Amino acid sequence: MTTETEERPGGATDTVLSRHVHRLLTRVRAFDARHPWPWDTAVTSCWAVASLVDAAGGWRNTAPDPTLPAWFVTALGLALTVPLYWRRRHPVAALAAMAGAALVSDASGAFLQASYLQLLPVFHIALLRPPRALLWALALLLPPLVTGAVRFAPGSWDQRVVPALWAYALVALLGVTVRSRRDYTAGLVDRARRLETERDQEVRLAAAAERARIAREMHDIIGHNLSVITGLADGGRYAAAKNPERAAQALDAIGTTSREALADLRRLLGILRDDEQEAVRDPQPTLADLDALLTGVREAGLPVLCDTRAEPPARALSPGVQLTVYRVVQEALTNTLRHAGPEARATVLLAYAAGEVRVEVTDTGTGAARAPGGRGQGLTGMRERAALYDGTLDCGPLPAGGWAVRLRIPLRTAL
């Protein structure tokens, strides 16, 4: 236990240090990407000074012809180092300029060590240019090597050519490796960015779907309960003069319906709360609640007959399908209360047959004030609910008068 306790602070320190180093390197790379000239100038100046120091006399230690004039060697040293300033922006052109100076150096017998600085543009060609650009680099590197090996061969001409080519090949391979790693990292970053974007889109779509669901629920709850309250209030007004007891019953029903509607609205609005407390979610209505729904509609003044045909499937319908059936019946009866007229009667048929759940709500009203073609908001919500379970919903006037709403949901999606 003591060992773990002692090791954890060190690991944490290493992690913090690596983060600081990574952050510093990121800032340096960002600055270099915006302002490349300071770094290019520093690198070029460093190697130019080194070449001038070598031109002071050190070059004679490896040169086959140490009698060359100092000005000539100095000019060659600058010609081999100044093009480094453009090695990142124009690596092929920089290599071509340096290869020309290297050709003169090897042909004259100077054999300046600055010729190996051609490794830098070779690295940037492998890093920044297409792979075929390496063939051009090879065509530029070979002439100086072959010329020097042929003119001043110390023993075997390949002793100068082969090691240099190996060095160039290894640098090119390093450039390709760094490029592959950079492309792989960029691909991971791009993938992470796209995944983040897709996640945000999914969150927005889920939020929009939830808002649409809540809007449908609120429409059904408010529309139905207000229609029931309106029917009860109208009936209570007529009954107040002749039968005060019936008026009191209507007021009690209005109070009960209002409290139920308020409780449902509180439940839905609780889902939208921003605090961390979990919203209180009462169970959604099911087919078992149809009787209470029909009782409320009857109290509002609309006679309703309910007919259930055949036996329900062996397994109970899913909660979502039961809620869809309940809301469709609720919306259909709400429309009947609103538009069918005072003498209308309604019938609710619930059947399980031919691999489907079938619901049919009909009334004997005129239907004149209803939305033509089913373009009302409530009818649109019913169609959306049915589509969630691969169902269909049809509504329209009956030939003998009245209105019909028919819902069909396949049993394979209903279970």
Side-chain angles (χ1 to χ4, degrees):
M1 296 298 294
T2 305
T3 305
E4 292 181 1
T5 305
E6 293 176 353
E7 290 179 357
R8 286 179 183 176
T13 303
D14 294 341
T15 302
V16 173
L17 179 61
S18 64
R19 289 178 180 175
H20 283 296
V21 172
H22 177 71
R23 190 177 300 134
L24 178 61
L25 292 176
T26 301
R27 292 179 179 176
V28 171
R29 292 192 188 99
F31 177 81
D32 182 60
R34 295 192 303 268
H35 309 286
W37 64 268
W39 176 248
D40 291 340
T41 301
V43 171
T44 303
S45 301
C46 177
W47 289 113
V49 171
S51 68
L52 293 177
V53 171
D54 186 58
W59 64 277
R60 292 187 176 91
N61 297 326
T62 58
D65 185 2
T67 62
L68 296 173
W71 66 267
F72 180 75
V73 176
T74 301
L76 282 178
L78 293 176
L80 286 168
T81 54
V82 172
L84 290 176
Y85 183 80
W86 295 277
R87 73 191 186 282
R88 292 195 290 179
R89 286 166 289 177
H90 309 286
V92 178
L95 180 62
M98 297 174 70
L103 179 62
V104 175
S105 173
D106 287 10
S108 63
F111 279 27
L112 296 182
Q113 300 298 312
S115 297
Y116 289 106
L117 292 177
Q118 296 175 99
L119 293 169
L120 295 178
V122 168
F123 173 80
H124 287 286
I125 288 174
L127 182 65
L128 303 173
R129 294 293 181 266
R132 63 177 179 274
L134 291 173
L135 297 178
W136 290 101
L138 178 63
L140 293 172
L141 294 170
L142 277 177
L145 295 175
V146 174
T147 300
V150 171
R151 290 201 60 190
F152 305 97
S156 175
W157 68 272
D158 60 344
Q159 291 181 2
R160 177 165 175 78
V161 176
V162 174
L165 288 180
W166 270 112
Y168 292 135
L170 291 175
V171 170
L173 181 61
L174 176 62
V176 172
T177 303
V178 173
R179 178 176 184 168
S180 301
R181 180 66 179 176
R182 184 190 62 183
D183 293 343
Y184 177 73
T185 304
L188 290 179
V189 172
D190 180 68
R191 181 182 178 185
R193 187 180 296 111
R194 286 189 287 106
L195 289 175
E196 184 177 1
T197 301
E198 292 176 359
R199 182 196 63 188
D200 294 340
Q201 290 177 349
E202 290 177 356
V203 170
R204 287 194 294 269
L205 290 174
E210 182 67 9
R211 287 195 297 269
R213 185 190 69 82
I214 293 174
R216 288 195 299 266
E217 294 291 330
M218 293 183 69
H219 173 273
D220 294 341
I221 292 171
I222 295 175
H224 173 74
N225 288 288
L226 286 180
S227 297
V228 172
I229 291 172
T230 301
L232 290 171
D234 292 339
R237 184 182 61 183
Y238 290 117
K242 299 180 179 180
N243 192 343
E245 294 182 359
R246 293 294 301 275
Q249 293 176 0
L251 291 175
D252 291 339
I254 289 174
T256 302
T257 304
S258 301
R259 283 189 292 271
E260 292 177 354
L262 183 60
D264 289 338
L265 288 177
R266 283 177 177 172
R267 175 179 57 81
L268 288 175
L269 295 177
I271 299 175
L272 301 177
R273 291 184 303 178
D274 294 330
D275 57 15
E276 296 182 357
Q277 295 181 355
E278 184 178 1
V280 178
R281 301 189 180 188
D282 295 334
Q284 294 282 5
T286 63
L287 294 181
D289 299 304
L290 275 180
D291 291 338
L293 173 67
L294 299 179
T295 300
V297 172
R298 294 186 184 106
E299 291 177 353
L302 176 64
V304 180
L305 175 64
C306 182
D307 183 14
T308 302
R309 297 181 183 177
E311 292 295 329
R315 290 186 296 169
L317 300 181
S318 66
V321 173
Q322 294 190 49
L323 176 61
T324 298
V325 172
Y326 181 92
R327 292 303 187 197
V328 167
V329 173
Q330 182 185 56
E331 179 63 24
L333 295 177
T334 300
N335 289 338
T336 300
L337 279 171
R338 289 176 178 175
H339 308 298
E343 303 299 329
R345 303 175 65 87
T347 301
V348 177
L349 172 64
L350 179 62
Y352 309 93
E356 65 181 10
V357 179
R358 185 163 58 91
V359 180
E360 183 174 318
V361 182
T362 59
D363 62 61
T364 59
T366 59
R370 307 190 196 190
R375 291 191 292 268
Q377 294 298 323
L379 298 178
T380 301
M382 287 193 290
R383 287 197 174 93
E384 291 175 352
R385 289 182 183 276
L388 289 176
Y389 300 96
D390 299 328
T392 59
L393 185 133
D394 300 318
C395 53
L398 295 172
W403 195 268
V405 175
R406 300 179 181 89
L407 171 68
R408 292 180 177 85
I409 298 178
L411 282 179
R412 64 177 182 276
T413 59
L415 296 178

